Amino acid sequence: MQTLVIDTSYGSTVGMVGHDPIVETDSRTHVEKLQVDIATTVEQAGLKPENIDRIIVGIGPAPFTGLRAGIVAAKALAFVTGARLIGQNVLSSQVLVRNAEHDGRHHLTLAVNDARRKQLYFALLDGSGYEVGGSADEDHDANVENSCVKTLIDMDIDYPESIVNRVNEVLEQLRQSDTNVEYVVDVIGHGAAKYAQSWASLPEGGMVSDHALLDEGASGLERFAAFATSQQSLANPEPIEPLYLRRPDVSVPNPLKHVLNHAGAERTE
């Protein structure tokens, strides 16, 4: 099955599964290059648009303009080609980036994406059932199919210090339910390193990485697609709409005040 991945949650990543993706990191120009990158990706894979069977598009969470451009492009291409369209948030799949060391502790993943304005999009996930490493393997894929990802804090947007407080509250609840488990939190995703000082209040020993799954080239692309098409994901499909998680900056203005005895109030022309 020929699968195209399009994600504009942070810059842009466009690629056919099985091939190296085209990555644009300049947030000022990646939207302008999107259509060209899609055409180039398909051509380099030796395909034509009508050969695409499936399109997986990142739905955020991310800021407005770039995210919307990727989703609109994916929807348009799916409509023209008849390809199946699948949406995948970019936080849940971050459990596949976690350090694979077997250190006897229970690793949780605090998946993040830069939301700007000193905030982060985030979710706290338990993907401890995975054999996670830098590349996909059979055991890892089997665990994806067996639906091992558990959400401890749903996707949200907040300031790093507040995120830490919320994570520590969950950790305290987990410790009370099982005092024999030692938890550690790995902070993974774009923006993690920028706020590294904020993570000092989390349990020691967790990794802090600005690395996202789609930064891993062809391997990351394949694993992102596998995650999006796992039994867990397909059983709970996500609406293919942009996840902004932030209230819009604009609002409907209040009506003009009616001033008594003002000549303009009675004007009908």
Side-chain angles (χ1 to χ4, degrees), residues 257-266:
K257 292 183 179 179
H258 182 85
V259 180
L260 293 175
N261 299 323
H262 189 279
E266 303 300 330

Side-chain angles (χ1 to χ4, degrees), residues 69-81:
I71 294 173
V72 169
K75 286 184 174 181
L77 188 57
F79 178 79
V80 171
T81 62

Side-chain angles (χ1 to χ4, degrees), residues 119-133:
Q119 292 180 310
L120 290 168
Y121 300 106
F122 77 101
L124 182 63
L125 308 163
D126 185 355
S128 57
Y130 291 90
E131 286 293 329
V132 188

Side-chain angles (χ1 to χ4, degrees), residues 12-244:
S12 68
T13 300
V14 178
M16 296 297 303
V17 172
H19 302 267
D20 289 326
I22 297 175
V23 178
E24 304 286 355
T25 58
D26 189 341
S27 60
R28 297 168 296 180
T29 61
H30 75 272
V31 172
E32 301 171 10
K33 298 178 180 178
L34 184 60
Q35 298 296 336
V36 175
D37 288 348
I38 292 173
T40 302
T41 292
V42 174
E43 182 180 356
Q44 289 180 346
L47 303 171
K48 296 180 180 180
E50 55 266 29
N51 299 135
I52 300 172
D53 300 302
R54 185 168 58 191
I55 300 172
I56 299 173
V57 61
I59 57 173
F64 179 83
T65 306
L67 178 61
R68 182 176 179 273
I71 294 173
V72 169
K75 286 184 174 181
L77 188 57
F79 178 79
V80 171
T81 62
R84 181 182 183 184
L85 183 61
I86 299 172
Q88 174 60 51
N89 79 74
V90 298
L91 295 183
S92 296
S93 60
Q94 295 299 75
V95 297
L96 307 188
V97 184
R98 183 177 61 78
N99 196 330
E101 291 184 7
H102 299 283
D103 55 9
R105 297 181 297 176
H106 192 117
H107 283 257
L108 305 178
T109 299
L110 178 57
V112 301
N113 192 29
D114 195 348
R116 303 171 187 169
R117 305 182 194 177
K118 300 181 180 181
Q119 292 180 310
L120 290 168
Y121 300 106
F122 77 101
L124 182 63
L125 308 163
D126 185 355
S128 57
Y130 291 90
E131 286 293 329
V132 188
S135 60
D137 55 46
E138 292 182 0
D139 291 337
H140 185 175
D141 290 342
N143 280 322
V144 171
E145 293 298 324
N146 289 332
S147 307
C148 295
V149 179
K150 182 179 180 180
T151 301
L152 301 177
I153 299 179
D154 287 329
M155 283 184 291
D156 202 354
I157 181 172
D158 211 334
Y159 295 97
E161 294 77 10
S162 179
I163 293 173
V164 169
N165 292 335
R166 294 168 66 176
V167 170
N168 280 330
E169 288 177 2
V170 172
L171 290 175
E172 183 59 30
Q173 295 172 5
L174 292 173
R175 294 188 188 104
Q176 290 177 3
S177 63
D178 191 342
T179 57
N180 295 320
V181 178
E182 182 181 358
Y183 290 95
V184 64
V185 179
D186 300 311
V187 188
I188 300 173
H190 298 125
K194 182 190 297 186
Y195 302 105
Q197 291 183 343
S198 299
W199 316 131
S201 299
L202 294 174
E204 293 183 5
M207 67 182 291
V208 176
S209 174
D210 237 41
H211 189 71
L213 183 61
L214 286 175
D215 295 335
E216 295 186 1
S219 172
L221 201 74
E222 180 179 0
R223 294 160 71 198
F224 182 82
F227 189 95
T229 55
S230 67
Q231 291 180 1
Q232 179 179 18
S233 297
L234 294 179
N236 301 281
E238 299 187 85
I240 306 173
E241 298 296 336
L243 293 170
Y244 302 132

